[in-house]
């Protein structure tokens, strides 16, 4: 059995964010056939066409190559002002430039965690629209919205809520099947 290489993109840079905790939970809940590598994007500059005119910055090129090589991408991100965090949107904008962008037909799964009751639902709908435009193959269901996350993770970042753990386990199992189904369709 081949190990599926999954790249994790966290929409929050904060070390102790609920979304980093949710990403850690996803890694714990993955089927044995999957391996997750969280990639950092803190050094990606603000998108600027003048910079792009001189070439893709090396940090973007490395990130683009890493996503190209991955079997799938897991995005776990908070909701900022009812939408996608600006930093994550900036990364997606950089990655979408050029003929060799990594998104066409790339399997993607999404989860979100917030302190509010909706768990990032509004952001997920915006993110799905962005990824649809990039021709990414976003897993339709299950949708994982971790609301009131402050009551579902402890101070060490461990999930303390069994329902949340089950939702994430179901998402990762569905993602494994999604990747397999997309491979069969393309072969």
């Amino acid at each position: 059995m081949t190990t599926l290489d999954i790249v994790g993109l966290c929409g929050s840079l904060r070390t102790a964010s609920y979304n980093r905790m949710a990403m850690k939970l996803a890694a714990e809940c993955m089927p044995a056939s999957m391996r997750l590598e969280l990639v950092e994007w803190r050094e990606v500059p603000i998108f600027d066409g003048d910079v792009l005119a001189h070439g893709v910055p090396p940090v973007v090129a490395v990130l683009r190559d890493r996503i190209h090589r991955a079997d799938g991408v897991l995005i776990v991100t908070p909701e900022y002002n009812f939408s996608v965090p600006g930093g994550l949107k900036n990364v997606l904008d950089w990655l979408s430039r050029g003929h060799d962008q990594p998104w066409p037909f790339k399997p993607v799964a999404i989860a979100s965690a917030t302190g509010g009751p909706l768990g990032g639902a509004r952001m997920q709908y915006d993110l799905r629209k962005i990824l649809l435009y990039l021709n990414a193959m976003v897993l339709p269901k299950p949708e994982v919205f971790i609301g009131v996350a402050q009551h579902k993770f402890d101070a060490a970042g461990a999930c303390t809520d069994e329902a949340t753990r089950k939702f994430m386990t179901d998402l990762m199992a569905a993602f494994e099947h999604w990747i397999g189904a997309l491979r069969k369709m393309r072969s």
Side-chain angles (χ1 to χ4, degrees):
M1 176 186 280
T2 303
T3 300
L4 295 175
D5 176 31
I6 308 301
V7 164
L9 283 175
C10 185
S12 175
L13 295 174
R14 192 169 55 88
T15 304
S17 77
Y18 295 122
N19 287 276
R20 286 188 180 262
M21 293 175 192
M23 184 72 75
K24 178 183 167 204
L25 176 62
E28 294 169 8
C29 295
M30 285 181 160
S33 67
M34 300 174 97
R35 180 184 58 83
L36 176 71
E37 178 189 358
L38 176 63
V39 295
E40 296 297 336
W41 50 268
R42 182 180 303 273
E43 302 303 319
V44 172
I46 299 288
F47 181 78
D48 180 341
D50 290 338
V51 172
L52 179 60
H54 296 288
V56 173
V59 67
V60 175
V62 167
L63 184 56
R64 179 182 298 193
D65 179 64
R66 182 65 186 96
I67 292 172
H68 264 298
R69 290 183 287 112
D71 295 305
V73 177
L74 172 64
I75 300 174
V76 182
T77 182
E79 178 178 295
Y80 289 177
N81 298 319
F82 285 19
S83 193
V84 178
L88 179 61
K89 175 66 167 68
N90 180 64
V91 169
L92 296 174
D93 289 343
W94 268 113
L95 293 172
S96 71
R97 297 307 194 262
H99 68 281
D100 62 340
Q101 64 128 323
W103 297 113
F105 306 106
K106 182 65 66 177
V108 177
I110 299 171
S112 54
T114 67
L118 297 180
R122 295 170 292 223
M123 176 285 307
Q124 282 201 29
Y125 298 131
D126 282 353
L127 183 57
R128 286 175 185 278
K129 287 189 300 186
I130 293 164
L131 292 168
L132 175 68
Y133 177 75
L134 299 177
N135 291 324
M137 304 304 290
V138 180
L139 175 68
K141 292 180 183 178
E143 295 176 307
V144 174
F145 310 107
I146 305 171
V148 291
Q150 65 273 24
H151 299 297
K152 297 179 179 167
F153 296 93
D154 66 19
C159 180
T160 58
D161 182 69
E162 285 309 309
T164 299
R165 182 173 295 281
K166 179 170 181 350
F167 292 142
M168 192 63 80
T169 299
D170 292 348
L171 176 69
M172 298 318 298
F175 194 33
E176 177 188 39
H177 291 298
W178 183 244
I179 293 168
L182 291 173
R183 281 183 172 173
K184 285 180 185 173
M185 286 174 35
R186 294 191 70 195
S187 59

mmCIF file of all heavy atoms in Angstrom, residues 68-114:
data_model
loop_
_atom_site.group_PDB
_atom_site.id
_atom_site.type_symbol
_atom_site.label_atom_id
_atom_site.label_comp_id
_atom_site.label_asym_id
_atom_site.label_seq_id
_atom_site.Cartn_x
_atom_site.Cartn_y
_atom_site.Cartn_z
ATOM 1 N N HIS A 68 2.689 20.545 -5.635
ATOM 2 C CA HIS A 68 2.689 19.725 -6.856
ATOM 3 C C HIS A 68 2.952 18.257 -6.525
ATOM 4 O O HIS A 68 2.298 17.363 -7.051
ATOM 5 C CB HIS A 68 3.765 20.196 -7.842
ATOM 6 C CG HIS A 68 3.278 21.135 -8.892
ATOM 7 N ND1 HIS A 68 2.324 20.796 -9.828
ATOM 8 C CD2 HIS A 68 3.622 22.418 -9.168
ATOM 9 C CE1 HIS A 68 2.110 21.818 -10.620
ATOM 10 N NE2 HIS A 68 2.883 22.812 -10.243
ATOM 11 N N ARG A 69 3.937 18.001 -5.664
ATOM 12 C CA ARG A 69 4.345 16.634 -5.346
ATOM 13 C C ARG A 69 3.368 15.906 -4.425
ATOM 14 O O ARG A 69 3.369 14.680 -4.358
ATOM 15 C CB ARG A 69 5.739 16.630 -4.708
ATOM 16 C CG ARG A 69 6.837 16.982 -5.685
ATOM 17 C CD ARG A 69 8.231 16.900 -5.080
ATOM 18 N NE ARG A 69 8.494 17.997 -4.158
ATOM 19 C CZ ARG A 69 8.651 17.882 -2.838
ATOM 20 N NH1 ARG A 69 8.595 16.713 -2.254
ATOM 21 N NH2 ARG A 69 8.897 18.945 -2.091
ATOM 22 N N ALA A 70 2.529 16.649 -3.724
ATOM 23 C CA ALA A 70 1.615 16.042 -2.750
ATOM 24 C C ALA A 70 0.464 15.314 -3.443
ATOM 25 O O ALA A 70 0.034 15.690 -4.534
ATOM 26 C CB ALA A 70 1.057 17.116 -1.826
ATOM 27 N N ASP A 71 -0.034 14.293 -2.764
ATOM 28 C CA ASP A 71 -1.229 13.587 -3.239
ATOM 29 C C ASP A 71 -2.494 14.370 -2.922
ATOM 30 O O ASP A 71 -3.523 14.166 -3.566
ATOM 31 C CB ASP A 71 -1.314 12.197 -2.593
ATOM 32 C CG ASP A 71 -0.169 11.306 -3.023
ATOM 33 O OD1 ASP A 71 0.021 11.128 -4.241
ATOM 34 O OD2 ASP A 71 0.549 10.792 -2.138
ATOM 35 N N GLY A 72 -2.425 15.233 -1.935
ATOM 36 C CA GLY A 72 -3.574 16.035 -1.551
ATOM 37 C C GLY A 72 -3.152 17.144 -0.609
ATOM 38 O O GLY A 72 -2.038 17.131 -0.068
ATOM 39 N N VAL A 73 -4.060 18.107 -0.414
ATOM 40 C CA VAL A 73 -3.806 19.248 0.465
ATOM 41 C C VAL A 73 -4.950 19.350 1.463
ATOM 42 O O VAL A 73 -6.123 19.330 1.072
ATOM 43 C CB VAL A 73 -3.684 20.565 -0.340
ATOM 44 C CG1 VAL A 73 -3.493 21.755 0.590
ATOM 45 C CG2 VAL A 73 -2.545 20.478 -1.351
ATOM 46 N N LEU A 74 -4.604 19.461 2.730
ATOM 47 C CA LEU A 74 -5.572 19.707 3.795
ATOM 48 C C LEU A 74 -5.403 21.150 4.241
ATOM 49 O O LEU A 74 -4.304 21.546 4.653
ATOM 50 C CB LEU A 74 -5.333 18.758 4.969
ATOM 51 C CG LEU A 74 -6.156 19.035 6.234
ATOM 52 C CD1 LEU A 74 -7.647 18.845 5.958
ATOM 53 C CD2 LEU A 74 -5.685 18.156 7.385
ATOM 54 N N ILE A 75 -6.472 21.928 4.140
ATOM 55 C CA ILE A 75 -6.448 23.319 4.590
ATOM 56 C C ILE A 75 -7.314 23.410 5.833
ATOM 57 O O ILE A 75 -8.506 23.081 5.792
ATOM 58 C CB ILE A 75 -6.957 24.278 3.501
ATOM 59 C CG1 ILE A 75 -6.095 24.176 2.237
ATOM 60 C CG2 ILE A 75 -6.977 25.717 4.031
ATOM 61 C CD1 ILE A 75 -6.616 24.990 1.057
ATOM 62 N N VAL A 76 -6.707 23.852 6.929
ATOM 63 C CA VAL A 76 -7.430 24.069 8.182
ATOM 64 C C VAL A 76 -7.201 25.529 8.540
ATOM 65 O O VAL A 76 -6.065 25.964 8.715
ATOM 66 C CB VAL A 76 -6.932 23.135 9.298
ATOM 67 C CG1 VAL A 76 -7.748 23.358 10.567
ATOM 68 C CG2 VAL A 76 -7.010 21.672 8.864
ATOM 69 N N THR A 77 -8.292 26.291 8.623
ATOM 70 C CA THR A 77 -8.123 27.736 8.744
ATOM 71 C C THR A 77 -9.259 28.385 9.517
ATOM 72 O O THR A 77 -10.396 27.916 9.471
ATOM 73 C CB THR A 77 -8.009 28.366 7.330
ATOM 74 O OG1 THR A 77 -7.787 29.775 7.458
ATOM 75 C CG2 THR A 77 -9.238 28.127 6.494
ATOM 76 N N PRO A 78 -8.951 29.473 10.211
ATOM 77 C CA PRO A 78 -10.013 30.215 10.876
ATOM 78 C C PRO A 78 -10.799 31.068 9.884
ATOM 79 O O PRO A 78 -10.473 31.112 8.695
ATOM 80 C CB PRO A 78 -9.254 31.111 11.863
ATOM 81 C CG PRO A 78 -7.925 31.331 11.219
ATOM 82 C CD PRO A 78 -7.634 30.057 10.467
ATOM 83 N N GLU A 79 -11.816 31.716 10.391
ATOM 84 C CA GLU A 79 -12.603 32.679 9.626
ATOM 85 C C GLU A 79 -12.242 34.064 10.150
ATOM 86 O O GLU A 79 -12.312 34.305 11.357
ATOM 87 C CB GLU A 79 -14.093 32.398 9.853
ATOM 88 C CG GLU A 79 -15.013 33.365 9.162
ATOM 89 C CD GLU A 79 -16.468 32.989 9.383
ATOM 90 O OE1 GLU A 79 -16.890 31.920 8.916
ATOM 91 O OE2 GLU A 79 -17.174 33.769 10.051
ATOM 92 N N TYR A 80 -11.834 34.955 9.255
ATOM 93 C CA TYR A 80 -11.548 36.338 9.629
ATOM 94 C C TYR A 80 -12.575 37.218 8.931
ATOM 95 O O TYR A 80 -12.680 37.194 7.696
ATOM 96 C CB TYR A 80 -10.146 36.760 9.184
ATOM 97 C CG TYR A 80 -8.998 36.137 9.950
ATOM 98 C CD1 TYR A 80 -7.701 36.410 9.578
ATOM 99 C CD2 TYR A 80 -9.195 35.287 11.028
ATOM 100 C CE1 TYR A 80 -6.622 35.863 10.253
ATOM 101 C CE2 TYR A 80 -8.132 34.729 11.714
ATOM 102 C CZ TYR A 80 -6.846 35.020 11.328
ATOM 103 O OH TYR A 80 -5.777 34.471 11.987
ATOM 104 N N ASN A 81 -13.317 37.982 9.698
ATOM 105 C CA ASN A 81 -14.295 38.925 9.149
ATOM 106 C C ASN A 81 -15.214 38.270 8.121
ATOM 107 O O ASN A 81 -15.425 38.785 7.031
ATOM 108 C CB ASN A 81 -13.583 40.145 8.545
ATOM 109 C CG ASN A 81 -12.799 40.907 9.585
ATOM 110 O OD1 ASN A 81 -13.273 41.082 10.706
ATOM 111 N ND2 ASN A 81 -11.602 41.331 9.245
ATOM 112 N N PHE A 82 -15.749 37.107 8.475
ATOM 113 C CA PHE A 82 -16.708 36.357 7.657
ATOM 114 C C PHE A 82 -16.093 35.734 6.416
ATOM 115 O O PHE A 82 -16.805 35.314 5.512
ATOM 116 C CB PHE A 82 -17.895 37.223 7.216
ATOM 117 C CG PHE A 82 -18.900 37.522 8.276
ATOM 118 C CD1 PHE A 82 -18.631 37.408 9.614
ATOM 119 C CD2 PHE A 82 -20.165 37.929 7.918
ATOM 120 C CE1 PHE A 82 -19.572 37.690 10.578
ATOM 121 C CE2 PHE A 82 -21.126 38.216 8.877
ATOM 122 C CZ PHE A 82 -20.829 38.102 10.213
ATOM 123 N N SER A 83 -14.759 35.651 6.310
ATOM 124 C CA SER A 83 -14.168 35.135 5.082
ATOM 125 C C SER A 83 -12.807 34.488 5.351
ATOM 126 O O SER A 83 -12.440 34.229 6.485
ATOM 127 C CB SER A 83 -14.045 36.260 4.051
ATOM 128 O OG SER A 83 -13.758 35.729 2.774
ATOM 129 N N VAL A 84 -12.073 34.272 4.260
ATOM 130 C CA VAL A 84 -10.756 33.640 4.284
ATOM 131 C C VAL A 84 -9.740 34.618 4.874
ATOM 132 O O VAL A 84 -9.735 35.791 4.491
ATOM 133 C CB VAL A 84 -10.348 33.250 2.839
ATOM 134 C CG1 VAL A 84 -8.965 32.638 2.805
ATOM 135 C CG2 VAL A 84 -11.381 32.325 2.215
ATOM 136 N N PRO A 85 -8.876 34.163 5.777
ATOM 137 C CA PRO A 85 -7.828 35.054 6.280
ATOM 138 C C PRO A 85 -7.000 35.623 5.133
ATOM 139 O O PRO A 85 -6.651 34.913 4.177
ATOM 140 C CB PRO A 85 -6.984 34.148 7.171
ATOM 141 C CG PRO A 85 -7.908 33.055 7.588
ATOM 142 C CD PRO A 85 -8.809 32.842 6.396
ATOM 143 N N GLY A 86 -6.668 36.900 5.231
ATOM 144 C CA GLY A 86 -5.933 37.574 4.168
ATOM 145 C C GLY A 86 -4.606 36.918 3.841
ATOM 146 O O GLY A 86 -4.218 36.832 2.673
ATOM 147 N N GLY A 87 -3.886 36.455 4.853
ATOM 148 C CA GLY A 87 -2.596 35.811 4.606
ATOM 149 C C GLY A 87 -2.731 34.547 3.777
ATOM 150 O O GLY A 87 -1.959 34.323 2.844
ATOM 151 N N LEU A 88 -3.728 33.730 4.103
ATOM 152 C CA LEU A 88 -3.951 32.500 3.333
ATOM 153 C C LEU A 88 -4.387 32.838 1.910
ATOM 154 O O LEU A 88 -3.918 32.228 0.948
ATOM 155 C CB LEU A 88 -4.996 31.622 4.013
ATOM 156 C CG LEU A 88 -5.334 30.323 3.292
ATOM 157 C CD1 LEU A 88 -4.115 29.426 3.152
ATOM 158 C CD2 LEU A 88 -6.459 29.606 4.016
ATOM 159 N N LYS A 89 -5.254 33.820 1.756
ATOM 160 C CA LYS A 89 -5.685 34.240 0.418
ATOM 161 C C LYS A 89 -4.486 34.718 -0.391
ATOM 162 O O LYS A 89 -4.360 34.413 -1.585
ATOM 163 C CB LYS A 89 -6.743 35.339 0.527
ATOM 164 C CG LYS A 89 -7.196 35.941 -0.798
ATOM 165 C CD LYS A 89 -7.931 34.957 -1.674
ATOM 166 C CE LYS A 89 -8.644 35.594 -2.845
ATOM 167 N NZ LYS A 89 -7.790 36.156 -3.868
ATOM 168 N N ASN A 90 -3.571 35.423 0.250
ATOM 169 C CA ASN A 90 -2.359 35.883 -0.418
ATOM 170 C C ASN A 90 -1.532 34.694 -0.923
ATOM 171 O O ASN A 90 -1.041 34.704 -2.058
ATOM 172 C CB ASN A 90 -1.528 36.734 0.550
ATOM 173 C CG ASN A 90 -0.251 37.246 -0.068
ATOM 174 O OD1 ASN A 90 -0.259 38.014 -1.009
ATOM 175 N ND2 ASN A 90 0.876 36.790 0.475
ATOM 176 N N VAL A 91 -1.390 33.659 -0.105
ATOM 177 C CA VAL A 91 -0.656 32.460 -0.519
ATOM 178 C C VAL A 91 -1.335 31.826 -1.730
ATOM 179 O O VAL A 91 -0.673 31.459 -2.709
ATOM 180 C CB VAL A 91 -0.539 31.457 0.647
ATOM 181 C CG1 VAL A 91 -0.021 30.116 0.171
ATOM 182 C CG2 VAL A 91 0.355 32.022 1.732
ATOM 183 N N LEU A 92 -2.653 31.700 -1.679
ATOM 184 C CA LEU A 92 -3.386 31.123 -2.805
ATOM 185 C C LEU A 92 -3.211 31.969 -4.061
ATOM 186 O O LEU A 92 -3.079 31.435 -5.166
ATOM 187 C CB LEU A 92 -4.867 30.970 -2.461
ATOM 188 C CG LEU A 92 -5.182 30.005 -1.316
ATOM 189 C CD1 LEU A 92 -6.664 30.050 -0.984
ATOM 190 C CD2 LEU A 92 -4.725 28.603 -1.626
ATOM 191 N N ASP A 93 -3.195 33.295 -3.911
ATOM 192 C CA ASP A 93 -2.979 34.179 -5.063
ATOM 193 C C ASP A 93 -1.608 33.942 -5.682
ATOM 194 O O ASP A 93 -1.478 33.838 -6.907
ATOM 195 C CB ASP A 93 -3.134 35.644 -4.657
ATOM 196 C CG ASP A 93 -4.569 36.024 -4.361
ATOM 197 O OD1 ASP A 93 -5.495 35.286 -4.766
ATOM 198 O OD2 ASP A 93 -4.782 37.063 -3.701
ATOM 199 N N TRP A 94 -0.569 33.835 -4.869
ATOM 200 C CA TRP A 94 0.766 33.564 -5.389
ATOM 201 C C TRP A 94 0.811 32.219 -6.102
ATOM 202 O O TRP A 94 1.345 32.104 -7.198
ATOM 203 C CB TRP A 94 1.812 33.573 -4.276
ATOM 204 C CG TRP A 94 2.471 34.889 -4.057
ATOM 205 C CD1 TRP A 94 2.361 35.695 -2.958
ATOM 206 C CD2 TRP A 94 3.364 35.571 -4.946
ATOM 207 N NE1 TRP A 94 3.121 36.822 -3.116
ATOM 208 C CE2 TRP A 94 3.750 36.774 -4.330
ATOM 209 C CE3 TRP A 94 3.869 35.281 -6.217
ATOM 210 C CZ2 TRP A 94 4.623 37.679 -4.925
ATOM 211 C CZ3 TRP A 94 4.738 36.182 -6.816
ATOM 212 C CH2 TRP A 94 5.102 37.372 -6.167
ATOM 213 N N LEU A 95 0.234 31.201 -5.459
ATOM 214 C CA LEU A 95 0.301 29.852 -6.026
ATOM 215 C C LEU A 95 -0.498 29.715 -7.312
ATOM 216 O O LEU A 95 -0.246 28.814 -8.110
ATOM 217 C CB LEU A 95 -0.176 28.823 -4.997
ATOM 218 C CG LEU A 95 0.716 28.657 -3.771
ATOM 219 C CD1 LEU A 95 0.034 27.769 -2.743
ATOM 220 C CD2 LEU A 95 2.082 28.099 -4.171
ATOM 221 N N SER A 96 -1.449 30.600 -7.522
ATOM 222 C CA SER A 96 -2.305 30.501 -8.707
ATOM 223 C C SER A 96 -1.689 31.138 -9.953
ATOM 224 O O SER A 96 -2.241 31.013 -11.038
ATOM 225 C CB SER A 96 -3.659 31.156 -8.429
ATOM 226 O OG SER A 96 -3.531 32.571 -8.363
ATOM 227 N N ARG A 97 -0.562 31.796 -9.794
ATOM 228 C CA ARG A 97 0.047 32.486 -10.927
ATOM 229 C C ARG A 97 0.931 31.532 -11.738
ATOM 230 O O ARG A 97 1.598 30.673 -11.197
ATOM 231 C CB ARG A 97 0.890 33.674 -10.455
ATOM 232 C CG ARG A 97 0.109 34.764 -9.755
ATOM 233 C CD ARG A 97 -1.072 35.219 -10.600
ATOM 234 N NE ARG A 97 -1.660 36.444 -10.148
ATOM 235 C CZ ARG A 97 -2.746 36.539 -9.381
ATOM 236 N NH1 ARG A 97 -3.349 35.452 -8.952
ATOM 237 N NH2 ARG A 97 -3.234 37.706 -9.059
ATOM 238 N N GLY A 98 0.923 31.719 -13.040
ATOM 239 C CA GLY A 98 1.803 30.963 -13.919
ATOM 240 C C GLY A 98 1.150 29.712 -14.473
ATOM 241 O O GLY A 98 0.121 29.254 -13.999
ATOM 242 N N HIS A 99 1.784 29.184 -15.493
ATOM 243 C CA HIS A 99 1.258 27.998 -16.169
ATOM 244 C C HIS A 99 1.430 26.732 -15.338
ATOM 245 O O HIS A 99 0.780 25.729 -15.598
ATOM 246 C CB HIS A 99 1.952 27.823 -17.530
ATOM 247 C CG HIS A 99 3.399 27.470 -17.404
ATOM 248 N ND1 HIS A 99 4.357 28.403 -17.125
ATOM 249 C CD2 HIS A 99 4.019 26.275 -17.475
ATOM 250 C CE1 HIS A 99 5.536 27.812 -17.045
ATOM 251 N NE2 HIS A 99 5.355 26.513 -17.248
ATOM 252 N N ASP A 100 2.309 26.763 -14.349
ATOM 253 C CA ASP A 100 2.603 25.558 -13.575
ATOM 254 C C ASP A 100 1.979 25.582 -12.181
ATOM 255 O O ASP A 100 2.469 24.940 -11.264
ATOM 256 C CB ASP A 100 4.114 25.367 -13.462
ATOM 257 C CG ASP A 100 4.796 26.506 -12.726
ATOM 258 O OD1 ASP A 100 4.212 27.605 -12.615
ATOM 259 O OD2 ASP A 100 5.930 26.301 -12.254
ATOM 260 N N GLN A 101 0.863 26.302 -12.033
ATOM 261 C CA GLN A 101 0.232 26.352 -10.710
ATOM 262 C C GLN A 101 -0.203 24.946 -10.281
ATOM 263 O O GLN A 101 -0.534 24.122 -11.124
ATOM 264 C CB GLN A 101 -0.920 27.352 -10.693
ATOM 265 C CG GLN A 101 -2.066 26.993 -11.608
ATOM 266 C CD GLN A 101 -3.396 27.001 -10.895
ATOM 267 O OE1 GLN A 101 -3.488 26.618 -9.744
ATOM 268 N NE2 GLN A 101 -4.414 27.412 -11.601
ATOM 269 N N PRO A 102 -0.158 24.644 -8.986
ATOM 270 C CA PRO A 102 -0.352 23.266 -8.524
ATOM 271 C C PRO A 102 -1.794 22.838 -8.300
ATOM 272 O O PRO A 102 -2.032 21.691 -7.942
ATOM 273 C CB PRO A 102 0.396 23.261 -7.187
ATOM 274 C CG PRO A 102 0.227 24.653 -6.666
ATOM 275 C CD PRO A 102 0.273 25.532 -7.896
ATOM 276 N N TRP A 103 -2.762 23.701 -8.500
ATOM 277 C CA TRP A 103 -4.132 23.383 -8.079
ATOM 278 C C TRP A 103 -4.964 22.539 -9.025
ATOM 279 O O TRP A 103 -5.818 21.787 -8.556
ATOM 280 C CB TRP A 103 -4.887 24.668 -7.745
ATOM 281 C CG TRP A 103 -4.259 25.375 -6.595
ATOM 282 C CD1 TRP A 103 -3.623 26.574 -6.621
ATOM 283 C CD2 TRP A 103 -4.163 24.919 -5.241
ATOM 284 N NE1 TRP A 103 -3.139 26.899 -5.376
ATOM 285 C CE2 TRP A 103 -3.470 25.894 -4.512
ATOM 286 C CE3 TRP A 103 -4.601 23.767 -4.589
ATOM 287 C CZ2 TRP A 103 -3.199 25.765 -3.158
ATOM 288 C CZ3 TRP A 103 -4.328 23.637 -3.236
ATOM 289 C CH2 TRP A 103 -3.643 24.627 -2.539
ATOM 290 N N PRO A 104 -4.815 22.593 -10.342
ATOM 291 C CA PRO A 104 -5.717 21.814 -11.195
ATOM 292 C C PRO A 104 -5.729 20.323 -10.846
ATOM 293 O O PRO A 104 -4.698 19.668 -10.826
ATOM 294 C CB PRO A 104 -5.190 22.064 -12.607
ATOM 295 C CG PRO A 104 -4.550 23.413 -12.522
ATOM 296 C CD PRO A 104 -3.912 23.424 -11.149
ATOM 297 N N PHE A 105 -6.919 19.845 -10.521
ATOM 298 C CA PHE A 105 -7.189 18.438 -10.199
ATOM 299 C C PHE A 105 -6.513 17.967 -8.908
ATOM 300 O O PHE A 105 -6.454 16.775 -8.654
ATOM 301 C CB PHE A 105 -6.843 17.528 -11.376
ATOM 302 C CG PHE A 105 -7.543 17.954 -12.631
ATOM 303 C CD1 PHE A 105 -6.842 18.585 -13.648
ATOM 304 C CD2 PHE A 105 -8.907 17.763 -12.777
ATOM 305 C CE1 PHE A 105 -7.491 19.012 -14.796
ATOM 306 C CE2 PHE A 105 -9.560 18.184 -13.914
ATOM 307 C CZ PHE A 105 -8.861 18.810 -14.925
ATOM 308 N N LYS A 106 -6.033 18.902 -8.092
ATOM 309 C CA LYS A 106 -5.413 18.528 -6.810
ATOM 310 C C LYS A 106 -6.518 18.279 -5.790
ATOM 311 O O LYS A 106 -7.347 19.141 -5.529
ATOM 312 C CB LYS A 106 -4.503 19.658 -6.313
ATOM 313 C CG LYS A 106 -3.768 19.362 -5.020
ATOM 314 C CD LYS A 106 -2.772 18.239 -5.142
ATOM 315 C CE LYS A 106 -1.635 18.578 -6.061
ATOM 316 N NZ LYS A 106 -0.618 17.508 -6.135
ATOM 317 N N PRO A 107 -6.554 17.093 -5.163
ATOM 318 C CA PRO A 107 -7.532 16.828 -4.108
ATOM 319 C C PRO A 107 -7.269 17.731 -2.894
ATOM 320 O O PRO A 107 -6.122 17.860 -2.445
ATOM 321 C CB PRO A 107 -7.309 15.362 -3.753
ATOM 322 C CG PRO A 107 -6.597 14.778 -4.928
ATOM 323 C CD PRO A 107 -5.775 15.896 -5.489
ATOM 324 N N VAL A 108 -8.341 18.335 -2.384
ATOM 325 C CA VAL A 108 -8.242 19.245 -1.240
ATOM 326 C C VAL A 108 -9.358 18.925 -0.261
ATOM 327 O O VAL A 108 -10.504 18.694 -0.671
ATOM 328 C CB VAL A 108 -8.360 20.727 -1.685
ATOM 329 C CG1 VAL A 108 -8.332 21.667 -0.481
ATOM 330 C CG2 VAL A 108 -7.265 21.098 -2.672
ATOM 331 N N ALA A 109 -9.025 18.934 1.023
ATOM 332 C CA ALA A 109 -10.025 18.836 2.094
ATOM 333 C C ALA A 109 -9.905 20.092 2.948
ATOM 334 O O ALA A 109 -8.810 20.670 3.070
ATOM 335 C CB ALA A 109 -9.813 17.589 2.934
ATOM 336 N N ILE A 110 -11.020 20.502 3.534
ATOM 337 C CA ILE A 110 -11.075 21.737 4.311
ATOM 338 C C ILE A 110 -11.689 21.449 5.679
ATOM 339 O O ILE A 110 -12.661 20.696 5.782
ATOM 340 C CB ILE A 110 -11.948 22.793 3.595
ATOM 341 C CG1 ILE A 110 -11.372 23.150 2.230
ATOM 342 C CG2 ILE A 110 -12.102 24.043 4.452
ATOM 343 C CD1 ILE A 110 -12.303 24.020 1.399
ATOM 344 N N ALA A 111 -11.137 22.083 6.696
ATOM 345 C CA ALA A 111 -11.737 22.094 8.036
ATOM 346 C C ALA A 111 -11.464 23.475 8.626
ATOM 347 O O ALA A 111 -10.566 24.193 8.180
ATOM 348 C CB ALA A 111 -11.148 21.006 8.919
ATOM 349 N N SER A 112 -12.248 23.840 9.627
ATOM 350 C CA SER A 112 -12.039 25.134 10.271
ATOM 351 C C SER A 112 -12.428 25.056 11.741
ATOM 352 O O SER A 112 -13.270 24.248 12.123
ATOM 353 C CB SER A 112 -12.854 26.226 9.568
ATOM 354 O OG SER A 112 -14.215 25.865 9.483
ATOM 355 N N ALA A 113 -11.785 25.905 12.523
ATOM 356 C CA ALA A 113 -12.082 25.997 13.950
ATOM 357 C C ALA A 113 -12.145 27.465 14.338
ATOM 358 O O ALA A 113 -11.298 28.258 13.921
ATOM 359 C CB ALA A 113 -11.007 25.278 14.760
ATOM 360 N N THR A 114 -13.159 27.805 15.110
ATOM 361 C CA THR A 114 -13.306 29.178 15.588
ATOM 362 C C THR A 114 -13.841 29.171 17.014
ATOM 363 O O THR A 114 -14.378 28.165 17.484
ATOM 364 C CB THR A 114 -14.285 29.995 14.718
ATOM 365 O OG1 THR A 114 -15.610 29.463 14.875
ATOM 366 C CG2 THR A 114 -13.893 29.999 13.260
#
